[in-house]
Amino acid sequence: MKHQFVLDANWYGGRNSEGTIESGNLKTAISIPQPMGGPGTGTNPDEMLLGAAATCYIITLAAMLERSSITVAQLTMKSEGIVDVTNNIFTYEQIIHRPEIVLHAESADQVEKATVLAHKAEQSCMISRAITGNVTITTQPLISIAD
């Protein structure tokens, strides 16, 4: 079975102009971010790649925890994308995921298993697999027990 995703894009000028994209529930303005010399309108490819990687990872992690019968009180995450600029060439170097998994007290014995799954989810995520070899992806989980 194959799934097809279609995105429509419009661009209204040169490098420092703006555009729009639309795909399913995603509809937004786009441009080059201000730190890279653009107008900073809407989102940009760097944020979207980070968003795709983070979304895929956290959904994969949630599914793996659920399948392993680990009861999660809260699952949050911060992700960071690092882009290098050398000789005016932009290279997306690294994505760091920092999931925070809070387990219910009755799951305290499952901290080690949750840690293993936090790292394994990165290898199982479709987006991570798609960019492996081009972007370094690391996971720094923090796992705690709810009060």
Side-chain angles (χ1 to χ4, degrees), residues 2 5 16 19 22 24 27 32-33 55 60 64 67 71 74 81 84 100 103 118 135 137 140 144:
K2 294 188 182 198
F5 299 92
N16 289 329
E22 186 171 350
K27 182 177 182 178
I32 294 173
T55 303
T60 301
M64 293 175 85
R67 282 193 299 271
T71 308
Q74 185 175 359
D84 176 63
E100 294 187 27
L103 303 176
V135 178
I137 304 172
Q140 300 171 354
S144 60

Side-chain angles (χ1 to χ4, degrees), residues 5-136:
F5 299 92
V6 177
L7 182 137
D8 293 316
N10 291 296
W11 192 255
Y12 310 110
R15 178 195 185 278
N16 289 329
S17 295
E18 301 169 0
T20 59
I21 57 169
E22 186 171 350
S23 178
N25 292 322
L26 174 64
K27 182 177 182 178
T28 188
I30 57 171
S31 75
I32 294 173
Q34 283 182 330
M36 295 179 176
T41 304
T43 191
N44 59 71
D46 308 286
E47 291 172 343
M48 290 175 47
L49 180 59
L50 181 60
T55 303
C56 184
Y57 172 80
I58 201 165
I59 291 170
T60 301
L61 175 57
M64 293 175 85
L65 291 166
E66 180 181 71
R67 282 193 299 271
S68 296
S69 299
I70 296 176
T71 308
V72 176
Q74 185 175 359
L75 175 58
T76 60
M77 186 173 71
K78 290 203 184 292
S79 293
E80 178 181 358
I82 299 172
V83 176
D84 176 63
V85 183
T86 302
N87 297 326
N88 211 26
I89 297 173
F90 296 81
T91 304
Y92 215 114
E93 286 190 336
Q94 183 177 18
I95 292 175
I96 306 164
H97 296 307
R98 295 182 180 95
E100 294 187 27
I101 305 167
V102 180
L103 303 176
H104 288 288
E106 66 271 11
S107 299
D109 60 329
Q110 297 182 333
V111 170
E112 186 175 324
K113 189 172 185 179
T115 302
V116 168
L117 291 175
H119 290 287
K120 188 175 180 182
E122 191 54 62
Q123 301 159 2
S124 301
C125 167
M126 174 181 68
I127 301 299
S128 298
R129 289 192 324 264
I131 62 177
T132 294
N134 293 308
V135 178
T136 301

